Amino acid sequence: MPDSPNPRDAVIVGGNRIPFGKAGGAYAAASNQAMLTAALDGLVARFGLAGQQVGEVAAGAVLKHARDFNLTRETVLGSALAPTTPAYDLQQACGTGLETVIQVANKIQLGQLDSGIAGGVDSASDAPIAVGEGLRKALLKANHARTPMQRAKALAGIRPGDLAPESPRNAEPRTGLSMGEHQARTTKEWGITREAQDELAAASHHHLAQAWDSGFFDDLATGFLRLSRDQGLRPDTSVDKLATLQPVFGKGEGATMTAGNSTPLSDGAALVLLSSREWAQERNLPALARFVDAEVAAVDYVSGDEGLLMAPAYAVPRLLARQGLTLQDFDYYELHEAFASTVLATLKAWESKEFCRDRLGLDAPLGSIESSKLNVHGSSLAAGHPFAATGGRIVATLAKLLHEKGAGSRGLVSICAAGGQGVVAILEGC
Amino acid sequence: MADLMQILTSNPIARQLGVPQPTNLRRGRELPSGPVVLATAGGASALAREAVELLGLTPQDALVDTPQTRVTQTDDDGRTREVPTPYPSTIGAVVLDATALTTIEDLEGVRGALRPALKALEPSGRVVVLGVEPETAGAPTAVAAQQALEGIVRSVGKELRKGATANLVRVDLLTDAPTTAADLASTMSFLLEGRSAYVSGQVLHVGHGAAAHAAEVSSRPFEGQVVVVTGAGRGIGASIAETFARDGALVVAVDVPAGGEGLAAVANRIGGQALQLDITAPDAGERIAAHVAQRFGEAARIHTVVHNAGITRDKLLVNTDEERWGSVLEVNLAAQTRINAVLLDPALPGGLDDGGSIVGVASTSGIAGNRGQANYAASKAGVIGLVRAMAADPALAARGITVNAVAPGFIETEMTGKMPMATREVARRINSLQQGGRPVDVAEAIGYLAAPASGAVSGQVLRVCGQSQIGA
């Protein structure tokens, strides 16, 4: 076992997710809480933890109803875990799931916890819809009214225009641009071709389908609401088929991003069980991988200085430097496919002498990675991307891969997030 | 939602109109409330008495009907008739030891003991007759007399009402490995308790178990033992998992990943572990063993494997293609032969323990056949063949491993709930208990066959069918 600078190790014992659904698909009627509970109960059943207390459960959702104010704790109370298990919510956009893993792992390493469950859930189908500002203010006023007259007056102030609901937008508040439009700029800037994007997307579908077929997910996923595989998975897609799609992001000639090489909105939940080595040993539970280290970076996308989804390009080199590793020191790379071009632009940035020198302050570029080690069982393009659920999906998958590869194998996780953030981590096989 | 028949049978007016009313059966580890009476036929034998006493029961002597012991009874119209001396109150069970019975005349003793007892039997009462394996009985008349017991018990089962059952247990007394009271106790316990609620008109054979693996009858026979149940996500499988957990087992509940939601719910309810696995995967046996060795330690072994997972692809044979045919045989039969072969490797960590058990789930369809179920019946009849062959394997016997099967009849499940009402009602009524069984009835029978104290019970196919006419 290589030396670890941490007081003690946090290991990934295993994970569980529900198959991811298409927005408006199999989970259209399922709430965040229902999905997270299903994922949690599946995890508890897999490891025989019914009635037991774990150190804590940390999870979150990006699209959250007001009623979900204590989502994770409510989920624990509705699950088979002991009701004495503490829980809290955390949110860092698409980085939520991985950030909860970091949080729980850190606490385990510090000795504050022996075990914990981390992950997240999101529903694009059951998204919260807020009332317009005018209606909201009128309702608040009516609620505070002391007399029926005051209440009637407050309600009479509502204008027809106030009744239109405010749907959540997949857009950055500070730029008004959707993530896809932001990425379209980056795609163009880095000259990522349509062909390369379609190839990555097709590979993602084929790899994921192969993983399901081979039973790789038998101990990583639990069917829910009659869905036993990711709903958006298209095993029979091909580069040729993808080439027929019209671009949906970007404008004019240079537009290369289609619905096929962009990750669709999805519904789903994923969780990871972490613990100290001792906790796992005492219960005869496996230690699949050790949580090594993590880093979060943010970029100034508002001024246009950097692309919205480029923060992982900054986070990874900082993490590598701290760990004394090179980009090539990994057996597997799990780069979240928000868009095929996000992955390709990030890889290209690491290969770029100018970017690595000017932006990262490095003497030499990080270089390239072997494509055969990238997202070997598919990733978000094929599985779908219920924002906060993605971290749990990736960490559990990678931990199992590393365990199969053998002790000392290494894996890199990189997830871009709205708000110009990037959350990255290193795992090591046990 | 209650169907027409349920409304009819639960309505007090329907009751007065004479619609048959199924009795609420005594279930679980509940003994009869009245006394157990004991009789012998054909001569003295202590076997049944010792077995009953091992259960902590003190049997009373049975009343025997003879012309000399009859009393005169006068009815309201002043007519008189001679009747047997009645029992002072109801009795819970009659246990008749007929192991010494060798002549046709001896059968009169069976009649004499059963006549007053049947009259006094409480609801869900029990008739248990003990005989020897006819083939070992010696002279042709002795064989005939012992075989006659089967006709008596099966007829009595059909005569009984109010949830009472009758079963025959055959033992080996005239071989070089005779059945002992300890061998018999587990079977006696099962037949007397509510666990056998839906078992009637059956013949069970109890041999002699390996002394090295002998265990006493216990109410938590699987305490700390690993039990693997396939198809555990719902229906009968879920009930099997729950029943083993109630009896102390560490249950590994197996089902296909697509059934994971139900499987997780079952595993969490019983504090077990969910193992998602397609049993037809080539490495299914290895994965089960690896799971057990990983989760319970390298030294851990499986005590019981219950092969419950099964599918139906019903269609008349004339319309059955190879896919429909093969998939049923693959899941219901071939998969378990492969899993058994792996788990029976004594050197395999997480394999089947010495003194362990394998229980297959067959079906009365596998005995009687069923229109539109040639593939299913083939697979279930195959399970019966498999169990018999494995139980006859001296190598397994030497390891104290028992192999048995249950053959459920009409059991109330989600699946049978989807049958057309008329068909379902016929299936419910066409048995001696005049009702469908519950999943727990199948589970209890499996628990009995798998129990460490049932080491002398192997190669049996126990019907849990309420003495259904189908395939009887």
Side-chain angles (χ1 to χ4, degrees):
Chain A
M1 191 193 323
D3 288 342
S4 164
N6 302 314
R8 65 172 184 169
D9 285 341
V11 296
I12 286 111
V13 171
N16 186 52
R17 69 179 177 100
I18 55 175
F20 291 169
K22 283 180 171 178
Y27 305 151
S31 66
N32 273 340
Q33 194 180 324
M35 289 193 288
L36 191 59
T37 305
L40 183 55
D41 274 342
L43 186 76
V44 168
R46 178 155 305 140
F47 296 106
L49 298 174
Q52 297 189 38
Q53 179 183 328
V54 297
E56 70 182 24
V57 180
V62 175
L63 299 173
K64 216 165 152 187
H65 287 269
R67 65 166 185 258
D68 285 340
F69 74 99
N70 213 2
L71 175 66
T72 311
R73 173 64 184 147
E74 287 300 322
T75 298
V76 167
L77 287 173
S79 78
L81 276 184
T84 49
T85 302
Y88 57 90
D89 287 23
L90 189 152
Q91 207 253 55
Q92 197 175 31
C94 311
T96 301
L98 184 53
E99 188 61 73
T100 59
V101 170
I102 297 169
Q103 177 87 347
V104 170
N106 285 348
K107 286 194 182 186
I108 290 168
Q109 288 173 344
L110 285 173
Q112 294 168 350
L113 292 177
D114 291 324
S115 64
I117 294 172
V121 59
D122 255 300
S123 169
S125 302
D126 188 36
I129 289 178
V131 297
E133 201 54 11
L135 181 58
R136 196 178 71 88
K137 287 203 167 125
L139 290 173
L140 284 171
K141 206 169 172 186
N143 199 34
H144 295 141
R146 285 159 189 251
T147 67
M149 201 55 206
Q150 280 176 347
R151 183 166 297 133
K153 203 174 157 194
L155 294 174
I158 299 169
R159 297 283 161 262
D162 295 338
L163 296 176
E166 285 197 358
S167 298
R169 288 169 305 168
N170 188 14
E172 293 300 317
R174 287 176 190 282
T175 60
L177 288 180
S178 73
M179 242 180 240
E181 291 302 331
H182 268 288
Q183 181 58 38
R185 292 177 173 184
T186 307
T187 307
K188 200 168 179 184
E189 193 178 320
W190 283 98
I192 308 299
T193 65
R194 169 78 183 263
E195 292 68 34
Q197 294 176 54
D198 287 349
E199 263 171 41
L200 190 87
S204 188
H205 283 280
H206 297 157
H207 288 156
L208 186 73
Q210 209 278 327
W212 279 110
D213 287 345
S214 71
F216 182 80
F217 291 114
D218 280 3
D219 58 358
L220 290 176
T222 302
F224 181 54
L225 297 182
R226 296 174 179 270
L227 198 60
S228 52
R229 284 194 180 195
D230 302 312
Q231 204 174 8
L233 174 61
R234 293 190 303 279
D236 56 350
T237 196
S238 65
V239 175
D240 289 344
K241 280 187 192 171
L242 290 168
T244 63
L245 299 173
Q246 291 298 316
V248 291
F249 298 116
K251 285 189 186 76
E253 276 294 285
T256 54
M257 292 171 61
T258 67
N261 59 40
S262 305
T263 295
L265 293 176
S266 333
D267 305 335
L271 292 161
V272 177
L273 174 62
L274 296 111
S275 78
S276 66
R277 285 184 191 271
E278 297 71 29
W279 189 91
Q281 261 159 19
E282 280 162 18
R283 284 158 185 77
N284 284 315
L285 295 178
L288 301 181
R290 180 172 75 92
F291 179 87
V292 178
D293 200 356
E295 178 76 18
V296 184
V299 294
D300 177 14
Y301 75 97
V302 181
S303 70
D305 177 58
E306 185 52 275
L308 175 74
L309 303 180
M310 289 302 284
Y314 294 78
V316 165
R318 280 162 27 187
L319 184 59
L320 293 177
R322 183 158 70 231
Q323 289 295 322
L325 295 169
T326 71
L327 186 60
Q328 289 70 37
D329 288 339
F330 294 89
D331 298 279
Y332 296 109
Y333 301 84
E334 286 289 338
L335 307 191
H336 159 53
E337 301 159 344
F339 302 91
S341 64
T342 315
V343 175
L344 296 168
T346 303
L347 293 176
K348 210 161 173 184
W350 288 336
E351 287 168 358
S352 157
K353 202 173 158 188
E354 294 73 30
F355 180 86
C356 289
R357 182 188 62 213
D358 302 341
R359 297 277 172 149
L360 304 179
L362 300 175
D363 302 333
L366 292 175
S368 5
I369 65 166
E370 281 178 44
S371 62
S372 63
K373 297 177 175 177
L374 173 66
N375 300 345
V376 297
H377 285 336
S379 196
S380 303
L381 283 164
H385 171 43
F387 310 120
T390 291
R393 173 183 69 78
I394 289 178
V395 168
T397 297
L398 179 60
K400 182 172 173 180
L401 271 171
L402 292 171
H403 184 62
E404 286 177 352
K405 182 83 179 174
S409 55
R410 260 191 226 110
L412 179 69
V413 186
S414 158
I415 296 177
C416 55
Q421 306 200 81
V423 189
V424 304
I426 295 173
L427 304 184
E428 187 181 84
C430 294
Chain B
M1 198 169 59
D3 62 26
L4 179 65
M5 208 62 192
Q6 280 167 325
I7 293 165
L8 277 177
T9 52
S10 57
N11 190 315
I13 297 165
R15 196 183 295 260
Q16 283 171 5
L17 289 173
V19 177
Q21 304 292 310
T23 309
N24 245 336
L25 304 181
R26 168 166 59 92
R27 287 191 160 88
R29 291 187 177 275
E30 197 79 13
L31 281 162
S33 54
V36 174
V37 303
L38 194 68
T40 56
S45 163
L47 186 63
R49 173 175 295 277
E50 285 174 19
V52 170
E53 283 174 351
L54 278 177
L55 303 178
L57 297 169
T58 313
Q60 299 179 4
D61 288 338
L63 297 180
V64 180
D65 175 44
T66 61
Q68 298 76 33
T69 60
R70 294 202 183 124
V71 293
T72 307
Q73 194 184 59
T74 310
D75 68 14
D76 294 345
D77 297 331
R79 285 175 301 202
T80 61
R81 56 177 190 153
E82 300 291 299
V83 296
T85 307
Y87 278 92
S89 62
T90 57
I91 62 169
V94 53
V95 176
L96 175 71
D97 188 337
T99 50
L101 183 136
T102 52
T103 68
I104 313 302
E105 292 71 37
D106 288 344
L107 290 168
E108 160 58 19
V110 178
R111 187 207 63 81
L114 291 184
R115 187 181 177 196
L118 299 189
K119 185 102 182 155
L121 216 51
E122 68 183 26
S124 290
R126 295 286 190 264
V127 176
V128 180
V129 177
L130 199 62
V132 295
E133 197 55 52
E135 284 72 19
T136 68
T141 49
V143 174
Q146 284 293 333
Q147 187 67 40
L149 292 174
E150 190 175 322
I152 297 169
V153 167
R154 290 195 196 275
S155 300
V156 164
K158 292 180 179 180
E159 178 176 330
L160 291 170
R161 287 293 174 264
K162 293 185 180 167
T165 63
N167 292 287
L168 173 64
V169 181
R170 285 177 177 154
V171 296
D172 295 326
L173 291 184
L174 309 164
T175 65
D176 44 359
T179 308
T180 65
D183 291 326
L184 184 60
S186 165
T187 300
M188 200 58 87
S189 158
F190 171 70
L191 290 175
L192 290 176
E193 287 179 7
R195 288 185 288 150
S196 60
Y198 205 58
V199 176
S200 191
Q202 301 308 305
V203 181
L204 273 163
H205 181 87
V206 180
H208 179 58
H213 303 293
E216 283 183 21
V217 176
S218 149
S219 63
R220 280 178 64 87
F222 302 100
E223 194 73 63
Q225 303 276 17
V226 178
V227 172
V228 176
V229 181
T230 68
R234 63 196 187 115
I236 292 173
S239 197
I240 296 167
E242 283 163 7
T243 304
F244 274 101
R246 177 200 70 190
D247 290 353
L250 305 166
V251 177
V252 177
V254 179
D255 215 322
V256 285
E261 194 177 358
L263 184 68
V266 169
N268 287 338
R269 196 156 63 231
I270 64 174
Q273 299 183 0
L275 174 61
Q276 296 189 147
L277 175 72
D278 180 348
I279 55 162
T280 64
D283 62 345
E286 283 85 359
R287 281 164 70 179
I288 291 170
H291 178 94
V292 170
Q294 210 280 318
R295 295 299 177 81
F296 301 101
E298 280 289 299
R301 292 289 182 276
I302 298 167
H303 182 273
T304 296
V305 182
V306 182
H307 293 292
N308 164 72
I311 58 168
T312 54
R313 295 282 182 274
D314 295 357
K315 210 151 218 176
L316 295 179
L317 182 60
V318 294
N319 297 324
T320 298
D321 62 13
E322 67 281 359
E323 201 282 325
R324 203 170 265 276
W325 182 263
S327 60
V328 170
L329 282 162
E330 175 64 19
V331 175
N332 297 7
L333 184 58
Q336 61 178 284
T337 65
R338 285 195 300 266
I339 291 172
N340 286 342
V342 172
L343 296 183
L344 282 170
D345 175 359
L348 180 74
L352 194 72
D353 201 5
D354 289 357
S357 68
I358 295 172
V359 185
V361 175
S363 165
T364 49
S365 292
I367 298 168
N370 207 3
R371 188 178 151 87
Q373 286 198 314
N375 52 359
Y376 183 75
S379 70
K380 294 302 187 177
V383 168
I384 293 171
L386 185 66
V387 157
R388 291 194 177 135
M390 290 177 77
D393 180 349
L396 293 191
R399 290 177 62 193
I401 292 173
T402 65
V403 189
N404 292 286
V406 292
F410 182 84
I411 304 297
E412 306 279 0
T413 62
E414 207 180 306
M415 191 174 80
T416 54
K418 286 176 187 154
M419 287 166 69
M421 188 188 122
T423 317
R424 186 171 65 233
E425 281 314 319
V426 169
R428 272 181 187 150
R429 307 298 159 189
I430 196 172
N431 64 73
S432 297
L433 293 167
Q434 296 184 304
Q435 56 187 294
R438 294 186 190 166
V440 70
D441 297 330
V442 179
E444 296 280 21
I446 292 171
Y448 146 66
L449 293 169
S454 301
V457 181
S458 193
Q460 302 300 294
V461 179
L462 177 56
R463 293 177 48 147
V464 185
C465 64
Q467 198 178 16
S468 171
Q469 309 278 2
I470 309 276

